Amino acid sequence: MAKIGVLSDIHGNVTALEAVIEDSRNQGVTEYWLLGDLVLPGHGDRDLLDLVASLDASVSVRGN
């Protein structure tokens, strides 16, 4: 049975996202769903998008 990590409303917070991903991996999450509001205008967007891409999410929703 797959464990699904549901991520939303990240709003560009790379530090928090890294912590959540680390915790989810420790909990055995094998699949990720991204439900929007990933970035905010400003610096750091590339790092966040690279991190999100590494998750290979099976579901991804843009925006709200």
Side-chain angles (χ1 to χ4, degrees), residues 7 9-22 37-40 42-52 54-55:
L7 307 174
D9 297 294
I10 296 165
H11 296 291
N13 190 337
V14 175
T15 304
L17 178 59
E18 289 171 336
V20 167
I21 290 170
E22 181 179 347
D37 290 338
L38 299 179
V39 297
L40 286 176
H43 68 284
D45 286 347
R46 176 54 35 206
D47 293 337
L48 183 126
L49 292 174
D50 289 343
L51 183 56
V52 166
S54 75
L55 296 175

Side-chain angles (χ1 to χ4, degrees), residues 26-42:
N26 290 337
Q27 297 295 320
V29 170
T30 57
E31 182 178 346
Y32 291 93
W33 295 358
L34 303 174
L35 302 183
D37 290 338
L38 299 179
V39 297
L40 286 176

